[in-house]
């Protein structure tokens, strides 16, 4: 999901601890205080969606939970609540690697993949115990809506977005359940059969992490999940779908690391050929741009793609800033190199780049120098017909920046579901990672607070993702037939127009 220009990742020595050890209250409070101070100094997005009073309030709650010793996993969940509350999909707080490995052993996981359809939790796996398409009402006595809400903190999204959390829950439901409620020997599931209301119960056995992963690979919706989960072999494609319509699919913006990368150059040549063809065939008046699997990537793939769709000059963003030039709390950075000299060199390179791009302190912020955000021009073969943009909750980071530019600055008709990435802006570009000294829990966030170059729109609300003009979700009936509801709706729009 990262839209990264510079990645600073370091490693500290591993800390050995007991799986069920209860940590002294003072040690946990020390780590929580450092966690708080790091974010206040380094995280420019801390108050993007929350007031200082709200942030102070959640920390007051967190400290109040630490008056007694706690297991590491319980402390971790408190940090997750804060990480998610801030409202940035680039936020990530993780347990130590050794701790994660130990938790994955044994038959402790819910066995079957699930999918959220119309806010209902549906069995997404053909099996002999609970039929495919059955709706789950509760598991081990936990009602579904309460269960889902408890899992939201494990998958961060921008602002106040909720739809994006369906991606995390659909992909990692069993893992999140085990994390939240502990290892389970079995699951008592209350469910109803497809299109029925009578509630049934079934006790099913837990499975290992290996079987959980294998079942997910064999989930029923796999043919359709290429739109949201797949790491497509073909990162992009173009084809004619009718005499007057074409389809451009861009599944990721991880297409080379920068403008000089040969992979990016090949992508640019590909786009050139596609849009030259469209400009030479004026009968093709409709272009579907499908980015439903696009979780982001690197510059300048997103803004390059936009240059073929816009009719007017544009910028990547309206403004951007960071909180610092010298890395605060550098003694807690996670180092990639073990050699002290190499660590120092890498840190200096990182700070030199910040100094160049964000050179002056203005009103307690370091704004981006204008040369890093120039006015850009449409491509000479920019498409002049009707654009149809297909979006989903999977869209994040550079994917959502691109979607926002298209939705806000072209004639595009936007179809699908709200993106997890924000319409008006996000924190991105440059991730940084720290490790807490006692528990060795790691926390990562992106330091560039940027406002996207988009206009106000009646259907766009601050703190939300890109809102579609036509809100179209896969229906249960289409799920059972693995139909692409959104694409078929788009074809009907083209036919009627």
């Amino acid at each position: 999901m990262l839209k990264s220009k510079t990645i600073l990742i370091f490693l500290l020595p591993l800390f050995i601890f007991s799986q069920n050890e209860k940590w002294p209250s003072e040690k946990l409070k020390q780590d929580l205080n450092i966690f708080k101070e790091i974010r206040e100094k380094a995280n420019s997005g801390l108050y993007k969606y929350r007031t200082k009073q709200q942030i102070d309030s959640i920390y007051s709650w967190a400290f109040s939970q630490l008056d007694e010793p706690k297991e590491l996993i319980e402390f971790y969940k408190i940090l997750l609540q804060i990480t998610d509350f801030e409202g940035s999909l680039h936020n990530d707080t993780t347990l130590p690697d050794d701790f994660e490995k130990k938790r994955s052993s044994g038959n402790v996981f819910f066995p079957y993949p699930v999918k959220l359809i119309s806010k209902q939790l549906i069995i997404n796996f053909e099996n002999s115990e609970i039929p495919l398409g059955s709706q789950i009402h509760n598991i081990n006595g936990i009602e579904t809506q309460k269960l889902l809400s408890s899992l939201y903190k494990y998958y961060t999204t921008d602002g106040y977005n909720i739809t994006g959390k369906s991606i995390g829950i659909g992909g990692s439901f069993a893992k999140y359940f085990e994390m939240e409620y502990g290892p389970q020997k079995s699951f008592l599931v209350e469910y109803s059969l497809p299109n029925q209301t009578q509630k049934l119960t079934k006790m099913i056995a837990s499975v290992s992490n290996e079987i959980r992963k294998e079942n997910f690979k064999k989930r029923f919706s796999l043919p359709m999940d290429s739109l949201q989960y797949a790491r497509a072999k073909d990162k992009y494609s173009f084809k004619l779908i009718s005499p007057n319509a074409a389809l451009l699919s861009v599944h990721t913006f991880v297409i080379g690391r920068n403008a000089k990368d040969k992979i990016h150059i090949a992508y640019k040549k590909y786009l050139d050929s596609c849009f030259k063809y469209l400009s030479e065939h004026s009968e093709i008046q409709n272009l579907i741009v499908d980015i439903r699997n696009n979780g982001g990537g690197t510059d300048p793939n997103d803004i390059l793609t936009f240059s073929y769709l816009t009719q007017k000059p544009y910028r990547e963003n309206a403004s951007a800033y960071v909180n610092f030039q010298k890395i605060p709390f550098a003694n807690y950075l996670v180092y990639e190199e073990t050699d002290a000299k190499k660590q120092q060199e890498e840190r200096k390179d990182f700070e030199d780049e910040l100094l160049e791009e964000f050179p002056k302190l203005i009103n307690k912020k370091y704004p981006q120098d204008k040369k890093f955000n120039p006015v850009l021009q449409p491509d000479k073969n920019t498409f002049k017909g009707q654009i149809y943009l297909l979006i989903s909750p999977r869209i994040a980071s550079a994917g959502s920046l691109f979607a926002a530019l298209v939705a806000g600055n072209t004639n595009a008709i936007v179809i699908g579901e709200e993106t997890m990435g924000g319409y008006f802006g996000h924190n991105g570009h440059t991730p940084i990672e720290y490790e807490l000294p006692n528990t060795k829990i790691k926390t990562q966030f992106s330091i560039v607070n940027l406002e996207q170059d988009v206009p106000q729109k009646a259907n766009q609300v601050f703190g939300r993702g890109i809102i579609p003009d036509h809100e179209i979700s896969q229906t249960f009936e289409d799920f059972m037939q693995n139909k692409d509801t959104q694409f078929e709706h788009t074809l009907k729009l083209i036919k009627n127009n």
Side-chain angles (χ1 to χ4, degrees), residues 138-143 177 184 186-190 203:
N138 74 62
I139 301 176
N140 288 351
I142 308 164
E143 188 268 335
F177 192 105
Q184 307 289 317
S186 60
F187 298 89
L188 181 62
V189 182
E190 183 181 72
M203 184 73 77

Side-chain angles (χ1 to χ4, degrees), residues 243-244 276-286 383-385:
N244 71 338
K276 183 179 180 183
Y277 180 88
L278 289 174
S279 69
E280 292 172 349
H281 292 78
S282 57
E283 71 276 11
I284 304 173
Q285 285 297 302
N286 302 285
F383 183 69
K384 296 180 174 63

Side-chain angles (χ1 to χ4, degrees), residues 391-459:
I391 63 172
S392 82
R394 177 70 180 90
I395 296 172
S397 194
S400 56
L401 186 149
F402 170 78
L405 290 176
V406 175
N409 298 305
T410 75
N411 71 352
I413 297 171
V414 185
I415 300 157
E417 300 173 84
E418 179 187 353
T419 65
M420 79 168 84
Y423 173 78
F424 287 104
H426 66 277
N427 258 61
H429 288 294
T430 308
I432 192 168
E433 188 171 32
Y434 291 91
E435 184 174 86
L436 301 180
N438 297 318
T439 60
K440 306 303 177 187
I441 288 174
K442 296 183 179 71
T443 187
Q444 179 178 283
F445 49 88
S446 288
I447 65 173
V448 182
N449 189 329
L450 60 94
E451 299 300 320
Q452 286 155 194
D453 190 15
V454 295
Q456 297 285 335
K457 291 183 69 177
N459 69 333

Side-chain angles (χ1 to χ4, degrees), residues 73-313:
I73 188 67
E74 297 304 318
F75 179 60
Y76 173 66
K77 291 177 189 177
I78 291 170
L79 296 185
L80 282 186
Q81 289 274 91
I82 300 170
T83 304
D84 181 49
F85 185 71
E86 288 176 5
S88 174
L89 60 83
H90 290 105
N91 283 3
D92 195 20
T93 297
T94 55
L95 287 160
D97 293 339
D98 276 9
F99 191 93
E100 283 276 30
K101 290 174 184 176
K102 290 176 183 177
R103 288 190 63 81
S104 298
S105 61
N107 294 336
V108 297
F109 294 99
F110 190 78
Y112 304 131
V114 297
K115 188 165 185 172
L116 278 169
I117 300 175
S118 301
K119 299 182 180 179
Q120 296 179 347
L121 193 62
I122 304 297
I123 291 289
N124 187 17
F125 189 79
E126 294 189 271
N127 67 93
S128 60
E129 295 184 305
I130 302 178
L132 170 72
S134 295
Q135 179 186 348
I136 297 174
H137 298 285
N138 74 62
I139 301 176
N140 288 351
I142 308 164
E143 188 268 335
T144 299
Q145 290 309 312
K146 180 181 178 181
L147 171 59
L148 293 175
S149 296
S150 72
L151 304 184
Y152 284 168
K153 60 180 172 286
Y154 294 97
Y155 198 83
T156 58
T157 54
D158 277 350
Y160 318 119
N161 173 267
I162 296 297
T163 62
K165 295 179 184 295
S166 66
I167 301 300
I169 290 171
S172 302
F173 176 79
K175 186 177 178 181
Y176 293 169
F177 192 105
E178 189 274 339
M179 191 81 71
E180 183 67 13
Y181 297 102
Q184 307 289 317
K185 293 182 179 179
S186 60
F187 298 89
L188 181 62
V189 182
E190 183 181 72
Y191 67 98
S192 56
L193 297 172
N195 299 314
Q196 295 187 24
T197 57
Q198 181 185 358
K199 292 182 179 179
L200 308 170
T201 58
K202 183 74 175 182
M203 184 73 77
I204 57 176
S206 304
V207 297
S208 67
N209 197 36
E210 290 71 25
I211 293 176
R212 174 189 74 85
K213 291 178 181 178
E214 285 302 310
N215 285 350
F216 185 71
K217 291 176 184 177
K218 298 173 183 176
R219 63 198 180 279
F220 175 76
S221 65
L222 184 62
M224 282 300 302
D225 284 351
S226 60
L227 304 176
Q228 293 185 358
Y229 288 104
R231 293 181 181 273
K233 293 180 181 178
D234 297 321
K235 294 183 177 182
Y236 48 88
S237 62
F238 176 84
K239 65 179 179 180
L240 297 180
I241 56 175
S242 74
N244 71 338
L247 170 65
L248 173 67
S249 299
V250 186
H251 302 299
T252 179
F253 285 129
V254 182
I255 312 173
R257 291 177 291 179
N258 52 51
K260 296 180 181 179
D261 193 302
K262 63 181 182 180
I263 299 173
H264 167 79
I265 293 170
Y267 176 56
K268 186 178 187 308
K269 289 181 179 178
Y270 186 84
L271 288 179
D272 281 339
S273 65
C274 295
F275 283 90
K276 183 179 180 183
Y277 180 88
L278 289 174
S279 69
E280 292 172 349
H281 292 78
S282 57
E283 71 276 11
I284 304 173
Q285 285 297 302
N286 302 285
L287 176 64
I288 302 172
V289 180
D290 187 355
I291 57 167
R292 286 176 288 176
N293 191 35
N294 199 314
T298 53
D299 288 334
N301 298 297
D302 48 356
I303 53 176
L304 167 69
T305 311
F306 181 66
S307 72
Y308 293 93
L309 302 175
T310 183
Q311 307 299 314
K312 56 187 179 182

Side-chain angles (χ1 to χ4, degrees), residues 292 390-391 415-417 472-473 484-490:
R292 286 176 288 176
L390 299 187
I391 63 172
I415 300 157
E417 300 173 84
I472 305 295
S473 304
D484 190 342
T485 310
Q486 294 156 351
F487 188 73
E488 291 192 4
H489 179 84
T490 306

